[in-house]
Amino acid sequence: AAAPAAAAAPEDWRLSVPQSYRSGEVRNIAQVLASLEPGANSASKMTLALRFEDSIFQSASSLADYRKKLTKRLKKVQKSYQGGAPPGAAAAAAAAASNAAA
């Protein structure tokens, strides 16, 4: 019988990742989102960054996969926004990227 997905296996790579590392990644994501929409509320960017990071953290198969997915999805958000997207598009693109399985 397989263990429930919510239960972390003893060898789960996520257990070895310090919260301080994840917090740094969330701050970086929030900075990128803020740079795409300078007038946007910083609290909303931080909330979006937290959700974005957590979805990637939960779906990644290793620390290397986590870093790769973060980089890839953040670049996708930046690219879609730089394509002349209207205000609010960075948040929408980040939300879509955090919900997409890649």
Side-chain angles (χ1 to χ4, degrees), residues 54-97:
D54 189 60
S55 70
I56 294 171
F57 186 76
Q58 296 304 324
S59 68
S61 60
S62 66
L63 182 58
D65 186 44
Y66 165 74
R67 294 179 52 80
K68 179 180 164 186
K69 284 182 177 185
L70 269 179
T71 301
K72 181 179 176 183
R73 291 192 191 169
L74 217 45
K75 284 183 180 179
K76 186 175 182 178
V77 168
Q78 289 173 310
K79 183 179 178 184
S80 67
Y81 190 78
Q82 290 167 352

Side-chain angles (χ1 to χ4, degrees), residues 36-40 45 80-81 84-93:
L36 296 175
E37 291 186 44
K45 294 299 177 202
S80 67
Y81 190 78

Side-chain angles (χ1 to χ4, degrees), residues 5-54:
E11 67 278 358
D12 193 339
W13 67 271
R14 292 170 191 85
L15 299 176
S16 66
V17 180
Q19 185 58 46
S20 59
Y21 180 83
R22 292 186 65 195
S23 295
E25 293 294 343
V26 169
R27 281 191 299 276
N28 290 340
I29 295 165
Q31 286 176 349
V32 168
L33 295 176
S35 72
L36 296 175
E37 291 186 44
N41 179 323
S42 63
S44 67
K45 294 299 177 202
M46 188 58 78
T47 300
L48 185 58
L50 280 165
R51 290 197 330 244
F52 183 87
E53 184 276 341
D54 189 60

